[in-house]
Amino acid sequence: MDLNTITDVVRRPPDRPGAAWREGDAWLAGGTWLFSEQQPDLRRLVDLTTLAWDTLVPSDAGLEIGATCTIRELYALAPPDDWRAASLFGTSCEAFLASFKVWNSATVGGNICMSLPAGPMITLAVALEATYTLWSTDGSERAVAAADFVTGNRENVLTPGEILRRIDIPVRALRKRHTHRRFTLTRLGRSTVFMIGTQAPGGDDLLLTITAGTTRPIRLAFDAVPDADSLRQSIDAIPDDVWFDDPNGTPDHRRHLTKHFAEEIRTEFTAGDRQ
């Protein structure tokens, strides 16, 4: 879609582009959402892709993902053999309601910052205990846990002009065992519920991440795999207003699916049937 209110496009912003932020600006990376509908309040686009941030940087500490890394680049990553949970990269990329053309331009950071309940990069980052580095307009930066970043449907902790610079996933999370469940109304549809369970190698813990069915990510942590009643009670404790309501599912439907899939995940870890 043409954005007929835009009067300027900054093709080569400074290395810390937030210093020149002004009202009516928008960060431009993949632009898959930005150009999908009218943006009447915008006057200027600031192109982040020309900054040439590193896309994927594996190290002994884990994986650093530049915010402008495309979905295609993440999907193509060949991880070290001991990163058992790295198969969730492909699983999460395939959870996009998008064509290969969108994969080539949509970015990891863009999906996170849109903060939609069904954003699969949000699911991935929260489940793998990622930390986000945010750049402020005054030149400072702060770190925010992925689990705390999204606060509601299309709502997050970003302040005006603040930018998501990178996503850091710790190696301990990448080495975890894992399983997941995802439900859609159609085979290639938007997620109604997307859940990931992880467990430390040789451990008995359970970290259960619930997304798509809730307006913000919910993470339930257990020192040991709980029994069925305890797990169900933990899900029942999620506030009613957190369950998402849209044409893909009512809150009651999503709560029911979450309980059903959570029990399947619990049973897998109890039985030792996990990756």
Side-chain angles (χ1 to χ4, degrees), residues 130-203:
T131 300
Y132 301 154
T133 296
L134 309 181
W135 281 0
S136 300
T137 55
D138 63 3
S140 63
E141 66 178 49
R142 60 177 175 140
V144 175
D148 299 327
F149 181 81
V150 176
T151 57
N153 179 24
R154 294 181 62 175
E155 297 176 350
N156 56 51
V157 301
L158 287 173
T159 59
E162 197 169 29
I163 187 171
L164 172 59
R165 170 60 185 87
R166 71 175 186 270
I167 301 99
D168 290 292
I169 300 176
V171 71
R172 58 176 175 76
L174 289 164
R175 290 173 174 161
K176 285 189 172 185
R177 295 187 287 259
H178 64 88
T179 189
H180 76 279
R181 294 293 188 278
R182 178 172 172 257
F183 178 86
T184 62
L185 293 179
T186 61
R187 189 172 70 87
L188 298 177
R190 176 173 291 195
S191 301
T192 299
V193 168
F194 190 6
M195 302 168 60
I196 293 175
T198 63
Q199 186 179 68

Side-chain angles (χ1 to χ4, degrees), residues 15-261:
D15 290 341
R16 296 293 293 240
W21 176 269
R22 65 193 188 199
E23 187 176 353
D25 281 359
W27 303 121
L28 174 61
T32 52
W33 174 81
L34 195 62
F35 287 95
S36 70
E37 58 183 69
Q38 294 181 6
Q39 310 288 349
D41 296 329
L42 298 186
R43 300 293 179 268
R44 188 172 71 155
L45 301 180
V46 182
D47 187 356
L48 300 178
T49 62
T50 61
L51 294 174
W53 292 339
D54 290 334
T55 54
L56 296 162
V57 183
S59 70
D60 292 341
L63 179 66
E64 176 186 310
I65 305 174
T68 54
C69 174
T70 66
I71 305 306
R72 179 188 58 79
E73 289 170 323
L74 180 62
Y75 190 77
L77 175 69
D81 291 340
D82 64 340
W83 288 11
R84 300 173 68 171
S87 64
L88 290 170
F89 296 157
T91 298
S92 299
C93 289
E94 290 168 357
F96 266 93
L97 178 58
S99 69
F100 72 92
K101 292 180 288 186
V102 172
W103 276 30
N104 287 334
S105 57
T107 62
V108 175
N111 186 252
I112 291 170
C113 291
M114 270 302 298
S115 300
L116 294 169
M121 296 297 99
I122 298 170
T123 310
L124 175 70
V126 174
L128 294 184
E129 305 165 60
T131 300
Y132 301 154
T133 296
L134 309 181
W135 281 0
S136 300
T137 55
D138 63 3
S140 63
E141 66 178 49
R142 60 177 175 140
V144 175
D148 299 327
F149 181 81
V150 176
T151 57
N153 179 24
R154 294 181 62 175
E155 297 176 350
N156 56 51
V157 301
L158 287 173
T159 59
E162 197 169 29
I163 187 171
L164 172 59
R165 170 60 185 87
R166 71 175 186 270
I167 301 99
D168 290 292
I169 300 176
V171 71
R172 58 176 175 76
L174 289 164
R175 290 173 174 161
K176 285 189 172 185
R177 295 187 287 259
H178 64 88
T179 189
H180 76 279
R181 294 293 188 278
R182 178 172 172 257
F183 178 86
T184 62
L185 293 179
T186 61
R187 189 172 70 87
L188 298 177
R190 176 173 291 195
S191 301
T192 299
V193 168
F194 190 6
M195 302 168 60
I196 293 175
T198 63
Q199 186 179 68
D204 191 39
D205 59 302
L206 173 62
L207 188 65
L208 182 64
T209 299
I210 303 167
T211 62
T214 51
T215 57
R216 57 178 172 81
I218 299 293
R219 204 165 62 180
L220 304 177
F222 303 92
D223 292 333
V225 176
D227 59 32
D229 286 342
S230 296
L231 181 57
R232 186 167 53 251
Q233 290 170 9
S234 295
I235 295 170
D236 282 335
I238 298 173
D240 289 344
D241 60 357
V242 173
W243 294 100
F244 192 43
D245 187 7
D246 77 348
N248 294 286
T250 65
D252 285 344
H253 177 55
R254 287 178 150 113
R255 184 187 291 109
H256 169 76
L257 288 173
T258 298
K259 290 180 181 180
H260 174 75
F261 290 141

